[in-house]
Amino acid sequence: MSRIRGRDTGPEMSIRRGLHALGLRYRLHDRHLPGTPDLVFPGPRVIIFVHGCFWHGHDCSLGVRPQSNAAFWSEKITRNQARDREAIQKLGNMGWRLAVVWECALKGSGRRPLREVLGDLCTFIRYDSGYKQLDICALTNVENSTSTPQGETNTRHVSPRESGRKRPGPK
Ligand SMILES: [Zn+2]
């Protein structure tokens, strides 16, 4: 199968280049693993998926579905989500730790500075602190994403509110 369009997307390339520059080495799009993970770090047994919010049905402004052909998109995206869940569960059972970087973490109004995202990923890859899954998305999606966990109890959602040096006041 040839490379699917959309794999080498902007956010994914930013993550790849950034982690490489930080000295991390990885395999790309490993088809031998469930879900063909975007980045694979065999040593620390960590996987990174960079998910497009639309295709993977993220509950955020980038994931809004078109009004026309609603049934078609809904079916397609629901299928993608089911595939994602299955892959994540299988990989977890195989002992991999997983980071999902949503497109909105790096794109759109809620985006975070790339170096912050890279820093969080770097820490997750290098130090196994017991978290099996790390979700990185835009600030505005934090409440939404915590209310729809992907079947994982040990998930940590990182937002600038949580990981930033500056502590914003109460909302
Ligand atoms: Zn999103």
Side-chain angles (χ1 to χ4, degrees), residues 143-163:
E143 286 80 5
N144 289 338
S145 58
T146 45
S147 68
T148 53
Q150 302 196 328
E152 286 278 343
T153 49
N154 210 1
T155 299
R156 182 171 169 239
H157 297 275
V158 172
S159 72
R161 208 180 302 166
E162 190 187 322
S163 69

Side-chain angles (χ1 to χ4, degrees), residues 53 58-63 102-104 137 141:
C53 294
H58 199 212
D59 189 7
C60 74
S61 60
L62 300 183
W102 292 92
E103 181 186 16
C104 57
C137 61
N141 305 314

Side-chain angles (χ1 to χ4, degrees), residues 99-119:
V100 177
V101 182
W102 292 92
E103 181 186 16
C104 57
L106 296 172
K107 204 173 139 182
S109 56
R111 70 179 178 276
R112 303 176 46 188
L114 178 60
R115 64 183 153 70
E116 263 185 38
V117 173
L118 292 172

Side-chain angles (χ1 to χ4, degrees), residues 78-135:
T78 303
R79 216 165 35 220
N80 287 344
Q81 287 176 309
R83 250 201 314 257
D84 290 344
R85 268 197 303 275
E86 197 188 320
I88 283 174
Q89 188 164 11
K90 279 186 187 164
L91 290 163
N93 291 343
M94 290 162 76
W96 291 90
R97 292 187 298 128
L98 280 125
V100 177
V101 182
W102 292 92
E103 181 186 16
C104 57
L106 296 172
K107 204 173 139 182
S109 56
R111 70 179 178 276
R112 303 176 46 188
L114 178 60
R115 64 183 153 70
E116 263 185 38
V117 173
L118 292 172
D120 285 346
L121 286 173
C122 213
T123 305
F124 182 73
I125 294 162
R126 287 188 166 140
Y127 309 103
D128 183 355
S129 57
Y131 289 111
K132 296 299 170 213
Q133 195 182 331
L134 175 74
D135 259 35

